[in-house]
Amino acid sequence: MEIDKSTGFLTETLRLGSGSYDFVTRVGGIAFGAVANPEESLKDQKIALSYDKSQSDGHRLTVSILGQVYRPFLPDWELIPIAKYADDSKNNALVSLFGPGSDPKKHKYNIQYHKALHNTLLGMRLLQADIAFMDLGEFWQLPKLNQETILGYGENQNLVSPEESLVAAQEIQTILNSEKFDSWVYTDNGLNVKFSVKDNDLQLNNTPYYYFWKTDKQAIERQKSEYKKQIGEYKKQMGEYKRQVNEYERQMAQYKKQAESLRKQGLVREQNEI
Protein backbone atom coordinates (compact mmCIF):
# COMPACT_ATOMS: atom_id res chain seq x y z
CA MET A 1 0.00 0.00 0.00
CA GLU A 2 1.32 3.44 -0.87
CA ILE A 3 0.11 6.99 -1.36
CA ASP A 4 0.45 8.76 -4.69
CA LYS A 5 2.17 12.01 -3.64
CA SER A 6 0.76 13.95 -6.59
CA THR A 7 -2.89 13.19 -5.75
CA GLY A 8 -2.92 11.85 -2.19
CA PHE A 9 -4.79 8.84 -3.56
CA LEU A 10 -4.39 5.49 -1.86
CA THR A 11 -3.15 2.93 -4.36
CA GLU A 12 -2.56 -0.80 -4.41
CA THR A 13 -0.80 -3.10 -6.85
CA LEU A 14 -2.29 -6.37 -8.04
CA ARG A 15 0.30 -8.26 -6.00
CA LEU A 16 -2.05 -7.86 -3.03
CA GLY A 17 -5.32 -8.32 -4.86
CA SER A 18 -8.88 -7.73 -3.72
CA GLY A 19 -8.62 -10.38 -1.00
CA SER A 20 -6.00 -8.35 0.86
CA TYR A 21 -7.18 -6.94 4.20
CA ASP A 22 -5.27 -3.68 3.59
CA PHE A 23 -6.83 -3.37 0.15
CA VAL A 24 -10.48 -3.81 1.09
CA THR A 25 -10.26 -1.69 4.24
CA ARG A 26 -8.16 1.19 2.85
CA VAL A 27 -8.95 1.29 -0.87
CA GLY A 28 -12.19 -0.63 -1.33
CA GLY A 29 -14.38 1.20 -3.82
CA ILE A 30 -13.67 0.54 -7.48
CA ALA A 31 -10.49 -1.23 -8.58
CA PHE A 32 -9.72 -2.39 -12.10
CA GLY A 33 -6.36 -3.91 -12.93
CA ALA A 34 -6.96 -6.75 -15.39
CA VAL A 35 -5.16 -6.50 -18.72
CA ALA A 36 -7.00 -7.70 -21.82
CA ASN A 37 -5.14 -10.16 -24.03
CA PRO A 38 -6.05 -11.27 -27.55
CA GLU A 39 -7.81 -14.56 -27.96
CA GLU A 40 -5.87 -17.43 -29.57
CA SER A 41 -6.84 -16.55 -33.16
CA LEU A 42 -5.36 -13.05 -32.73
CA LYS A 43 -2.27 -14.07 -30.81
CA ASP A 44 1.01 -12.66 -32.19
CA GLN A 45 -0.90 -10.45 -34.62
CA LYS A 46 -0.03 -6.77 -35.01
CA ILE A 47 -2.61 -4.69 -33.15
CA ALA A 48 -2.61 -0.89 -33.09
CA LEU A 49 -4.76 1.62 -31.22
CA SER A 50 -5.20 5.24 -32.22
CA TYR A 51 -7.48 8.22 -31.67
CA ASP A 52 -9.01 9.73 -34.81
CA LYS A 53 -10.36 13.17 -33.91
CA SER A 54 -11.73 13.61 -37.44
CA GLN A 55 -14.43 11.03 -36.67
CA SER A 56 -17.67 11.77 -34.82
CA ASP A 57 -17.83 11.38 -31.06
CA GLY A 58 -18.21 7.73 -30.11
CA HIS A 59 -16.24 6.46 -33.09
CA ARG A 60 -12.82 8.03 -32.53
CA LEU A 61 -11.15 4.96 -31.07
CA THR A 62 -9.54 3.08 -33.95
CA VAL A 63 -8.34 -0.50 -33.52
CA SER A 64 -6.33 -1.97 -36.37
CA ILE A 65 -5.88 -5.75 -36.55
CA LEU A 66 -4.27 -7.35 -39.59
CA GLY A 67 -5.08 -4.27 -41.64
CA GLN A 68 -8.74 -4.40 -40.68
CA VAL A 69 -9.98 -1.26 -38.87
CA TYR A 70 -12.59 -1.45 -36.11
CA ARG A 71 -14.32 1.47 -34.42
CA PRO A 72 -16.11 0.22 -31.27
CA PHE A 73 -18.64 2.69 -29.91
CA LEU A 74 -16.96 4.53 -27.02
CA PRO A 75 -17.81 8.22 -26.46
CA ASP A 76 -15.07 10.63 -25.41
CA TRP A 77 -16.49 11.11 -21.89
CA GLU A 78 -15.59 7.46 -21.30
CA LEU A 79 -12.70 6.95 -23.72
CA ILE A 80 -10.42 9.78 -22.58
CA PRO A 81 -10.48 9.02 -18.81
CA ILE A 82 -10.11 5.31 -19.57
CA ALA A 83 -7.04 5.95 -21.74
CA LYS A 84 -5.45 8.16 -19.07
CA TYR A 85 -6.15 5.56 -16.39
CA ALA A 86 -4.80 2.71 -18.53
CA ASP A 87 -1.59 4.71 -19.03
CA ASP A 88 -0.93 4.48 -15.28
CA SER A 89 0.65 1.06 -14.74
CA LYS A 90 1.18 1.53 -10.99
CA ASN A 91 -2.36 2.00 -9.70
CA ASN A 92 -5.50 -0.07 -9.97
CA ALA A 93 -7.79 1.89 -7.64
CA LEU A 94 -10.22 4.30 -9.31
CA VAL A 95 -12.63 5.43 -6.60
CA SER A 96 -12.49 5.07 -2.84
CA LEU A 97 -14.65 6.29 0.03
CA PHE A 98 -11.81 5.64 2.46
CA GLY A 99 -9.66 8.70 1.82
CA PRO A 100 -7.72 10.40 4.65
CA GLY A 101 -10.06 11.51 7.42
CA SER A 102 -12.77 8.97 6.64
CA ASP A 103 -14.64 7.34 9.51
CA PRO A 104 -17.16 4.76 8.20
CA LYS A 105 -18.52 4.17 11.74
CA LYS A 106 -19.66 7.80 11.76
CA HIS A 107 -20.75 7.64 8.10
CA LYS A 108 -18.00 10.13 7.26
CA TYR A 109 -16.36 9.53 3.89
CA ASN A 110 -13.65 11.44 2.06
CA ILE A 111 -14.14 10.45 -1.57
CA GLN A 112 -10.92 9.94 -3.50
CA TYR A 113 -10.61 9.61 -7.29
CA HIS A 114 -7.77 8.47 -9.48
CA LYS A 115 -6.37 11.60 -11.16
CA ALA A 116 -7.70 10.41 -14.54
CA LEU A 117 -11.27 10.63 -13.19
CA HIS A 118 -11.19 14.03 -11.49
CA ASN A 119 -14.23 16.11 -12.49
CA THR A 120 -15.51 13.56 -15.01
CA LEU A 121 -18.91 12.00 -15.57
CA LEU A 122 -17.25 8.59 -15.69
CA GLY A 123 -15.87 9.21 -12.20
CA MET A 124 -19.41 10.00 -11.02
CA ARG A 125 -20.78 6.82 -12.61
CA LEU A 126 -18.11 4.72 -10.88
CA LEU A 127 -18.88 6.42 -7.57
CA GLN A 128 -22.54 5.49 -8.08
CA ALA A 129 -21.51 1.88 -8.67
CA ASP A 130 -19.59 1.99 -5.39
CA ILE A 131 -22.24 3.58 -3.14
CA ALA A 132 -25.31 1.83 -4.64
CA PHE A 133 -25.56 -0.76 -1.86
CA MET A 134 -25.51 1.88 0.87
CA ASP A 135 -29.13 2.70 0.10
CA LEU A 136 -30.59 0.92 -2.91
CA GLY A 137 -33.95 2.52 -2.26
CA GLU A 138 -32.36 5.86 -3.14
CA PHE A 139 -29.23 5.19 -5.15
CA TRP A 140 -30.81 3.04 -7.86
CA GLN A 141 -31.75 6.37 -9.46
CA LEU A 142 -29.34 8.54 -11.41
CA PRO A 143 -28.57 11.82 -9.59
CA LYS A 144 -30.15 15.03 -10.84
CA LEU A 145 -29.01 18.64 -11.12
CA ASN A 146 -31.83 21.21 -10.90
CA GLN A 147 -34.32 18.36 -11.37
CA GLU A 148 -32.58 17.32 -14.59
CA THR A 149 -30.80 13.98 -15.03
CA ILE A 150 -27.37 14.48 -16.58
CA LEU A 151 -26.64 11.82 -19.18
CA GLY A 152 -23.50 11.21 -21.20
CA TYR A 153 -23.63 10.63 -24.93
CA GLY A 154 -24.88 7.09 -25.52
CA GLU A 155 -26.54 6.68 -22.11
CA ASN A 156 -30.23 5.81 -22.02
CA GLN A 157 -32.12 5.72 -18.74
CA ASN A 158 -35.31 4.46 -20.43
CA LEU A 159 -34.06 0.95 -21.21
CA VAL A 160 -35.84 -0.23 -18.04
CA SER A 161 -38.88 1.46 -16.54
CA PRO A 162 -38.55 3.14 -13.11
CA GLU A 163 -41.02 0.64 -11.71
CA GLU A 164 -38.90 -2.33 -12.86
CA SER A 165 -35.73 -0.68 -11.54
CA LEU A 166 -37.30 -0.10 -8.13
CA VAL A 167 -38.51 -3.71 -7.90
CA ALA A 168 -35.04 -5.00 -8.82
CA ALA A 169 -33.43 -2.69 -6.23
CA GLN A 170 -35.82 -3.95 -3.54
CA GLU A 171 -35.09 -7.59 -4.42
CA ILE A 172 -31.34 -6.99 -4.22
CA GLN A 173 -31.75 -5.14 -0.90
CA THR A 174 -33.68 -8.11 0.51
CA ILE A 175 -30.81 -10.44 -0.42
CA LEU A 176 -28.21 -8.11 1.10
CA ASN A 177 -30.20 -7.79 4.33
CA SER A 178 -29.94 -11.55 4.79
CA GLU A 179 -26.14 -11.50 4.63
CA LYS A 180 -23.51 -10.08 6.96
CA PHE A 181 -20.62 -8.17 5.45
CA ASP A 182 -18.50 -5.14 6.31
CA SER A 183 -18.13 -3.64 2.83
CA TRP A 184 -17.49 -4.43 -0.83
CA VAL A 185 -15.26 -3.63 -3.77
CA TYR A 186 -16.20 -3.58 -7.45
CA THR A 187 -13.30 -5.15 -9.34
CA ASP A 188 -12.03 -7.34 -12.17
CA ASN A 189 -9.18 -8.80 -10.13
CA GLY A 190 -8.39 -12.40 -11.09
CA LEU A 191 -10.39 -12.35 -14.33
CA ASN A 192 -8.89 -13.69 -17.54
CA VAL A 193 -9.93 -10.88 -19.89
CA LYS A 194 -9.82 -11.54 -23.64
CA PHE A 195 -10.73 -9.49 -26.69
CA SER A 196 -11.79 -10.97 -30.01
CA VAL A 197 -13.38 -10.20 -33.35
CA LYS A 198 -16.83 -11.64 -33.98
CA ASP A 199 -19.30 -10.77 -36.74
CA ASN A 200 -16.88 -8.04 -37.87
CA ASP A 201 -17.08 -6.41 -34.45
CA LEU A 202 -14.48 -6.03 -31.69
CA GLN A 203 -15.65 -7.70 -28.47
CA LEU A 204 -14.36 -7.76 -24.88
CA ASN A 205 -15.37 -10.46 -22.42
CA ASN A 206 -14.62 -8.54 -19.21
CA THR A 207 -17.38 -8.79 -16.57
CA PRO A 208 -16.39 -7.07 -13.28
CA TYR A 209 -17.96 -8.28 -10.07
CA TYR A 210 -18.68 -7.11 -6.52
CA TYR A 211 -16.43 -8.66 -3.90
CA PHE A 212 -18.17 -8.61 -0.50
CA TRP A 213 -16.05 -9.10 2.59
CA LYS A 214 -16.28 -9.21 6.36
CA THR A 215 -13.56 -9.08 8.97
CA ASP A 216 -12.46 -12.31 10.66
CA LYS A 217 -11.51 -10.71 13.97
CA GLN A 218 -10.26 -13.98 15.46
CA ALA A 219 -7.91 -14.46 12.50
CA ILE A 220 -6.60 -10.91 12.93
CA GLU A 221 -5.91 -11.55 16.63
CA ARG A 222 -4.08 -14.77 15.72
CA GLN A 223 -2.00 -12.84 13.21
CA LYS A 224 -1.16 -10.18 15.80
CA SER A 225 -0.11 -12.88 18.26
CA GLU A 226 2.07 -14.53 15.62
CA TYR A 227 3.65 -11.20 14.68
CA LYS A 228 4.48 -10.49 18.35
CA LYS A 229 6.03 -13.94 18.63
CA GLN A 230 8.13 -13.34 15.51
CA ILE A 231 9.23 -9.90 16.76
CA GLY A 232 10.29 -11.46 20.07
CA GLU A 233 12.34 -14.07 18.20
CA TYR A 234 13.94 -11.40 16.01
CA LYS A 235 14.89 -9.37 19.11
CA LYS A 236 16.41 -12.48 20.68
CA GLN A 237 18.46 -13.15 17.53
CA MET A 238 19.59 -9.52 17.34
CA GLY A 239 20.72 -9.72 20.98
CA GLU A 240 22.82 -12.80 20.13
CA TYR A 241 24.30 -11.10 17.06
CA LYS A 242 25.25 -8.06 19.15
CA ARG A 243 26.91 -10.32 21.73
CA GLN A 244 28.93 -12.04 18.97
CA VAL A 245 29.95 -8.68 17.51
CA ASN A 246 31.09 -7.43 20.92
CA GLU A 247 33.11 -10.62 21.46
CA TYR A 248 34.68 -10.26 18.01
CA GLU A 249 35.63 -6.64 18.71
CA ARG A 250 37.11 -7.62 22.09
CA GLN A 251 39.25 -10.33 20.47
CA MET A 252 40.38 -7.99 17.70
CA ALA A 253 41.43 -5.36 20.25
CA GLN A 254 43.43 -8.03 22.10
CA TYR A 255 45.14 -9.21 18.89
CA LYS A 256 46.04 -5.65 17.95
CA LYS A 257 47.50 -5.05 21.42
CA GLN A 258 49.60 -8.24 21.16
CA ALA A 259 50.77 -7.34 17.64
CA GLU A 260 51.77 -3.84 18.73
CA SER A 261 53.77 -5.25 21.67
CA LEU A 262 55.61 -7.69 19.37
CA ARG A 263 56.36 -4.88 16.90
CA LYS A 264 57.96 -2.79 19.63
CA GLN A 265 60.12 -5.78 20.61
CA GLY A 266 61.26 -6.19 17.01
CA LEU A 267 59.63 -9.62 16.72
CA VAL A 268 58.44 -9.14 13.14
CA ARG A 269 57.75 -12.81 12.34
CA GLU A 270 55.60 -13.20 15.47
CA GLN A 271 53.81 -9.92 14.70
CA ASN A 272 52.96 -11.12 11.19
CA GLU A 273 51.55 -14.35 12.61
CA ILE A 274 49.22 -12.32 14.81
Side-chain angles (χ1 to χ4, degrees):
M1 183 70 58
E2 59 185 282
I3 295 180
D4 185 328
K5 294 181 180 178
S6 65
T7 63
F9 188 69
L10 288 168
T11 62
E12 171 94 349
T13 66
L14 282 174
R15 287 192 298 272
L16 290 179
S18 60
S20 159
Y21 182 75
D22 276 347
F23 180 85
V24 295
T25 56
R26 295 181 61 188
V27 174
I30 310 294
F32 295 151
V35 176
N37 293 298
E39 69 167 11
E40 196 63 30
S41 63
L42 301 178
K43 191 176 180 180
D44 300 324
Q45 303 297 331
K46 184 177 180 180
I47 300 172
L49 302 178
S50 62
Y51 180 81
D52 187 353
K53 63 182 180 180
S54 67
Q55 297 294 318
S56 60
D57 188 12
H59 303 281
R60 292 169 179 155
L61 174 62
T62 300
V63 183
S64 177
I65 305 176
L66 290 175
Q68 179 68 39
V69 174
Y70 302 92
R71 299 184 186 276
F73 180 75
L74 191 60
D76 278 3
W77 68 271
E78 295 178 292
L79 172 59
I80 293 175
I82 288 172
K84 291 180 178 179
Y85 171 72
D87 193 44
D88 182 357
S89 61
K90 295 181 180 179
N91 305 332
N92 71 351
L94 289 96
V95 178
S96 174
L97 297 181
F98 302 153
S102 297
D103 188 348
K105 291 182 179 179
K106 296 182 180 180
H107 302 287
K108 179 183 177 183
Y109 301 98
N110 182 12
I111 302 170
Q112 297 284 286
Y113 293 92
H114 186 282
K115 57 187 178 183
L117 298 171
H118 278 286
N119 299 318
T120 67
L121 179 59
L122 182 60
M124 173 60 72
R125 291 293 182 258
L126 291 175
L127 174 63
Q128 291 169 233
D130 184 22
I131 67 175
F133 297 131
M134 286 183 168
D135 185 355
L136 275 168
E138 178 65 29
F139 293 148
W140 68 268
Q141 306 176 83
L142 292 177
K144 295 182 178 181
L145 180 63
N146 298 326
Q147 302 303 313
E148 180 181 355
T149 301
I150 306 300
L151 297 176
Y153 177 50
E155 289 189 301
N156 185 351
Q157 65 175 340
N158 298 319
L159 293 176
V160 180
S161 68
E163 294 75 18
E164 290 177 301
S165 296
L166 179 58
V167 170
Q170 291 172 339
E171 290 178 352
I172 294 172
Q173 189 65 64
T174 299
I175 294 172
L176 296 180
N177 290 341
S178 67
E179 300 292 338
K180 292 183 179 181
F181 54 87
D182 291 341
S183 191
W184 56 85
V185 57
Y186 189 51
T187 183
D188 60 5
N189 185 39
L191 296 181
N192 183 20
V193 182
K194 299 285 187 180
F195 64 88
S196 60
V197 173
K198 186 176 182 180
D199 297 329
N200 204 34
D201 186 27
L202 190 66
Q203 299 187 355
L204 191 70
N205 73 344
N206 194 16
T207 307
Y209 59 94
Y210 284 96
Y211 177 91
F212 290 85
W213 61 272
K214 60 182 178 181
T215 305
D216 186 342
K217 295 181 179 179
Q218 292 183 342
I220 291 175
E221 290 303 317
R222 288 195 298 269
Q223 281 189 336
K224 288 182 178 179
S225 177
E226 181 62 27
Y227 291 154
K228 288 181 180 179
K229 181 180 177 181
Q230 291 178 1
I231 290 172
E233 181 62 29
Y234 293 151
K235 287 182 177 179
K236 180 180 177 181
Q237 292 178 7
M238 288 303 298
E240 177 61 21
Y241 294 152
K242 288 181 179 179
R243 187 194 67 77
Q244 292 177 6
V245 169
N246 290 337
E247 176 62 20
Y248 171 78
E249 291 178 344
R250 186 191 67 80
Q251 291 180 6
M252 287 300 298
Q254 183 178 354
Y255 293 151
K256 289 179 180 179
K257 183 177 180 180
Q258 292 175 359
E260 180 62 17
S261 176
L262 292 170
R263 186 188 65 79
K264 289 179 178 180
Q265 298 176 51
L267 302 175
V268 177
R269 183 176 63 80
E270 289 82 353
Q271 178 191 359
N272 289 339
E273 289 179 356
I274 290 294

